[in-house]
């Protein structure tokens, strides 16, 4: 297999826009690491989550390692950090090959292909060209097979694994057969998350969401749009592995809409059976689609150990729900909450403002719906128009406002105005510190950016006070400081290198991802 004798360093950039970076580990790149391990390739992982002087750490690694193949993953808000990492590697190792994969390049590539098909050069084309100039190789879509092409001597500039007919695009069967994410290559104990007081780790049972919400990334990308599922048996095997290896009984299912899976009920029953066999109780949390939710699903989820569900209701305004192509009505969203309550499932309502047509009236409808339905928790974010979202992909330059793009929902004529952003320089993000940390890069026909921020703050404060829901703010973000030194002195929570023989001996479980939210 190509590249077997090569050493590869995979890099997880910091997410400086988060209050705490050690909550959910990045699983996509750990799946790539696992595939490299199985192929017998020397692989190490630099987990820079929460590292304040991460550039010094990269310099230290380059000075003390012979590795010349670096794979960096990045979401759009991580791109500035990923760009900084690339520049440091370039300065320290001019002969290094730096590969960029992950959601950002996948979204930009999908948007670029749409522009190419329509015969014009727009923002996505320019963004892709910028990435091509910065990195040696770009991997769009699934990276598990594409990584071997990326580390080959004749690697192309762009590897498009986001084509369903390609053998690089993972099928359900291949997804099931892949090795488990190489969590042993990061410091699992430094990640802290719990569900109802039970320590939890995140996992991915399925990929993709078939819906076409205007604000959501990857609607033009099969990688993020097409639902692909692992076998229920492989999902439960991973849970058992995590329970036995790390002692965790909690699992955050970081999949888009668990109930789009046709085998969901079968999965819930197998999770329940596994707990009986292990004589323990699991606690789970995950996302569901409101209009697909029913009593049978709710009962099965509770029996499997779910105590929380997260639902992207987004708005309490019928007009906004229509404008964002949510395909769920206000009444269906209310019914979803009622079903959850009947089965003792707590609900976190994921809400957002700043959509086309947003006004003081529609924001008030969202506030009143939250007070009327009284979810157990909620967040209210301001929309960000990331590459790969319909809001971004279908926008056109404003004829009257410089450096501004406009998305129009044809059915109503409602518009969304977007500031031009260089995502390689600005860590634009949709979820900030509720204590004055939000910023809006969008405005509507009815509300300025400043008014959106003020209304967001007012609604959150009022709803939390009236429903008695505390802010989701804990201690300040944990920041780590790297001390310069030899490779052998690297803190173990930062650098992990594969021990292939030991891993193969220990892996007894059966062999076995645009997200678009940060959940607290």
């Amino acid at each position: 297999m190509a590249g077997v004798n090569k050493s590869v360093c995979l890099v997880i950039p910091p997410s400086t826009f988060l209050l705490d970076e050690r909550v959910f580990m990045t699983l996509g790149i750990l799946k790539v690491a696992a595939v490299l391990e199985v192929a017998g390739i020397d692989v190490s992982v630099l987990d820079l989550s929460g590292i304040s002087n991460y550039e010094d750490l990269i310099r230290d690694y380059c000075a003390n390692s012979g590795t010349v193949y670096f794979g960096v993953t990045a979401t759009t808000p991580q791109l500035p950090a990923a760009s900084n990492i690339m520049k440091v590697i370039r300065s320290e190792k001019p002969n290094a090959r730096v590969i960029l994969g992950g959601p950002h390049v996948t979204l930009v590539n999908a948007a670029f292909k749409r522009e190419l098909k329509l015969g014009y050069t727009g923002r996505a084309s320019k963004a892709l060209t910028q990435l091509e100039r910065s990195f040696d190789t770009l991997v769009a879509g699934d990276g598990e097979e594409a990584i071997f092409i990326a580390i080959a001597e004749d690697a192309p500039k762009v590897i498009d694994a986001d084509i369903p007919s390609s053998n690089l695009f993972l099928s359900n069967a291949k997804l099931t057969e892949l090795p488990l994410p190489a969590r042993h290559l990061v410091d699992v104990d430094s990640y802290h998350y719990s569900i109802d007081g039970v320590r939890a780790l995140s996992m991915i049972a399925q990929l993709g969401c078939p819906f076409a919400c205007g604000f959501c990334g990857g609607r033009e990308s099969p990688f993020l749009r097409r639902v692909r599922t692992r076998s229920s048996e492989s999902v439960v095997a991973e849970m058992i592995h995590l329970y036995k290896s790390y002692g965790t009984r909690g699992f955050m299912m970081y999949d888009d809409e668990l109930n789009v899976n046709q085998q969901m009920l079968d999965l819930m029953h197998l999770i329940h059976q596994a707990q009986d066999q292990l004589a323990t109780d699991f606690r789970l949390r995950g996302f569901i689609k409101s209009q697909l939710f029913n009593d049978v699903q709710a009962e099965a989820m509770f029996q499997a150990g779910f105590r929380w569900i997260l639902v992207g209701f987004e708005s309490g305004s019928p007009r906004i729900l229509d404008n964002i192509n949510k395909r769920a009505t206000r009444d269906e969203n209310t019914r979803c909450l009622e079903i959850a309550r009947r089965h003792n499932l707590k609900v976190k309502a994921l809400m957002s403002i700043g959509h086309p047509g947003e006004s003081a009236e529609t924001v008030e409808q969202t506030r009143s719906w939250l007070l009327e339905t009284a979810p157990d928790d909620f967040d209210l974010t301001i929309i960000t128009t990331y590459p790969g979202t319909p809001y971004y992909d279908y926008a056109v330059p404003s004829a009257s406002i410089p450096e501004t793009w406009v998305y129009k929902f044809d059915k109503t004529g409602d518009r969304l105005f977007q500031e031009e952003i260089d995502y390689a320089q600005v860590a634009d993000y949709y979820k900030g510190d509720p204590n004055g940390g939000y910023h809006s890069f969008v405005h509507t026909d009815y509300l300025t950016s400043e008014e959106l921020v003020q209304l967001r703050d007012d609604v959150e404060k009022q709803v939390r006070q009236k429903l008695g829901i505390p802010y989701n703010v804990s201690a300040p973000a944990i920041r780590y400081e790297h001390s310069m030194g030899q490779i052998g002195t690297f803190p173990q929570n930062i650098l992990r290198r594969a021990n292939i023989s030991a891993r193969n001996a220990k892996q007894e479980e059966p062999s076995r991802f645009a997200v678009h939210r940060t959940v607290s």
Side-chain angles (χ1 to χ4, degrees):
M1 185 174 291
V4 166
N5 295 321
K6 295 169 182 173
S7 175
V8 178
C9 178
L10 300 178
V11 185
I12 302 172
S15 300
T16 57
F17 46 91
L18 296 180
L19 294 179
D20 189 342
E21 300 180 45
R22 294 268 171 164
V23 179
F24 299 115
M25 65 184 67
T26 303
L27 294 179
I29 201 167
L30 296 181
K31 287 164 53 184
V32 174
V35 169
L36 289 170
E37 279 188 286
V38 169
I41 294 177
D42 179 29
V43 57
S44 56
V45 173
L46 277 173
D47 184 2
L48 305 181
S49 305
I51 309 300
S52 59
N53 60 334
Y54 64 92
E55 288 141 312
D56 291 337
L57 192 151
I58 292 292
R59 291 188 186 94
D60 193 7
Y61 180 88
C62 289
N64 292 280
S65 168
T67 299
V68 294
Y69 293 90
F70 292 83
V72 184
T73 185
T75 61
T76 298
Q78 287 177 314
L79 187 61
S83 298
N84 291 340
I85 290 167
M86 176 272 300
K87 292 174 184 176
V88 173
I89 296 173
R90 286 265 186 272
S91 66
E92 299 296 320
K93 283 183 175 286
N95 64 327
R97 174 176 295 174
V98 187
I99 304 159
L100 179 69
H104 178 75
V105 65
T106 301
L107 294 169
V108 168
N109 184 62
F112 160 74
K113 289 191 292 186
R114 176 181 176 273
E115 291 181 356
L116 190 65
K117 182 178 180 180
L118 295 176
Y120 75 97
T121 298
R123 287 192 289 180
S125 301
K126 294 177 182 177
L128 187 65
T129 298
Q130 182 182 41
L131 293 176
E132 289 177 331
R133 290 172 179 169
S134 300
F135 296 87
D136 294 297
T137 299
L138 305 177
V139 176
D142 296 317
E144 288 84 351
E145 299 289 344
I147 186 62
F148 296 105
I149 300 175
I151 62 176
E153 296 302 327
D154 57 348
K157 195 67 179 180
V158 178
I159 302 171
D160 192 348
D162 195 13
I163 303 173
S165 60
S166 166
N167 59 6
L168 302 178
F169 193 86
L170 297 178
S171 63
N172 290 351
K174 186 62 178 179
L175 191 63
T176 297
E177 294 168 2
L178 286 173
L180 299 178
R183 292 180 178 88
H184 58 282
L185 295 184
V186 299
D187 183 14
V188 174
D189 289 340
S190 69
Y191 284 84
H192 43 270
Y193 181 69
S194 63
I195 300 172
D196 280 2
V198 175
R199 181 183 176 233
L201 292 174
S202 55
M203 58 182 293
I204 297 174
Q206 65 190 45
L207 302 174
C209 174
F211 297 98
C213 299
F215 60 87
C216 189
R219 300 308 86 201
E220 299 287 339
S221 164
F223 168 76
L224 293 165
R225 184 77 181 270
R226 181 169 295 194
V227 176
R228 291 172 287 168
T229 57
R230 297 161 53 189
S231 72
S232 298
E233 290 78 8
S234 73
V235 175
V236 175
E238 183 173 358
M239 289 181 174
I240 293 173
H241 165 71
L242 294 177
Y243 172 74
K244 291 183 176 179
S245 299
Y246 303 107
T248 181
R249 295 188 295 111
F251 305 98
M252 174 65 202
M253 306 294 288
Y254 223 85
D255 311 322
D256 280 320
E257 325 300 11
L258 281 164
N259 57 343
V260 301
N261 182 357
Q262 298 296 316
Q263 304 301 317
M264 175 192 175
L265 294 180
D266 176 60
L267 175 61
M268 296 300 113
H269 294 324
L270 288 180
I271 295 173
H272 186 198
Q273 290 176 11
Q275 295 167 75
D276 290 341
Q277 294 168 3
L278 295 170
T280 190
D281 291 318
F282 291 165
R283 287 293 174 265
L284 294 93
R285 196 170 186 241
F287 300 85
I288 62 100
K289 186 69 172 169
S290 66
Q291 72 266 35
L292 301 180
F293 197 48
N294 58 48
D295 285 284
V296 175
Q297 293 174 5
E299 181 179 3
M301 292 181 79
F302 185 85
Q303 291 299 320
F306 277 85
R307 293 300 179 267
W308 280 90
I309 58 174
L310 301 99
V311 190
F313 299 119
E314 308 305 340
S315 179
S317 164
R319 179 170 183 163
I320 296 300
L321 290 174
D322 190 22
N323 282 359
I324 67 180
N325 197 30
K326 189 61 184 173
R327 294 178 62 182
T329 66
R330 177 173 168 138
D331 288 344
E332 286 173 327
N333 289 340
T334 300
R335 179 186 61 84
C336 175
L337 275 159
E338 293 169 348
I339 291 172
R341 285 202 180 91
R342 285 200 291 270
H343 298 276
N344 297 310
L345 293 172
K346 296 178 182 177
V347 178
K348 181 169 185 178
L350 308 176
M351 314 299 292
S352 53
I353 64 172
H355 298 283
E358 199 79 77
S359 65
E361 179 183 359
T362 63
V363 174
E364 170 58 27
Q365 288 174 324
T366 292
R367 186 189 75 89
S368 64
W369 183 81
L370 285 168
L371 292 175
E372 171 192 326
T373 58
D376 301 279
D377 196 4
F378 77 101
D379 65 22
L380 180 61
T381 63
I382 298 174
I383 282 301
T384 296
T385 57
Y386 287 133
T389 65
Y391 286 174
Y392 179 100
D393 293 350
Y394 290 80
V396 297
S398 170
S400 57
I401 309 175
E403 301 297 317
T404 300
W405 291 70
V406 185
Y407 168 90
K408 184 172 74 171
F409 184 62
D410 290 336
K411 183 178 177 180
T412 60
D414 286 330
R415 298 181 296 177
L416 180 65
F417 299 83
Q418 315 159 25
E419 294 180 25
E420 181 65 272
I421 297 171
D422 182 354
Y423 287 100
Q425 301 295 324
V426 179
D428 189 15
Y429 56 97
Y430 54 75
K431 187 170 184 177
D433 184 343
N435 293 318
Y438 277 84
H439 182 79
S440 175
F441 291 90
V442 300
H443 67 275
T444 72
D445 288 304
Y446 312 103
L447 294 172
T448 66
S449 298
E450 294 76 17
E451 288 170 335
L452 280 168
V453 172
Q454 186 61 58
L455 284 170
R456 192 223 72 83
D457 291 348
D458 291 346
V459 170
E460 175 148 20
K461 180 179 180 181
Q462 294 165 12
V463 173
R464 289 191 181 278
Q465 284 181 344
K466 292 187 178 182
L467 297 184
I469 301 174
Y471 279 97
N472 292 318
V473 179
S474 55
I478 297 173
R479 305 298 292 173
Y480 299 89
E481 184 74 14
H482 165 60
S483 298
M484 298 294 286
Q486 297 299 313
I487 291 295
T489 66
F490 267 46
Q492 285 301 298
N493 64 317
I494 298 172
L495 173 66
R496 294 288 173 100
R497 185 175 294 279
N499 183 334
I500 296 171
S501 60
R503 180 179 187 272
N504 288 343
K506 291 179 180 179
Q507 185 165 326
E508 299 174 353
E509 73 281 354
S511 63
R512 106 121 182 128
F513 238 91
V515 149
H516 51 268
R517 286 190 180 277
T518 298
V519 180
S520 59

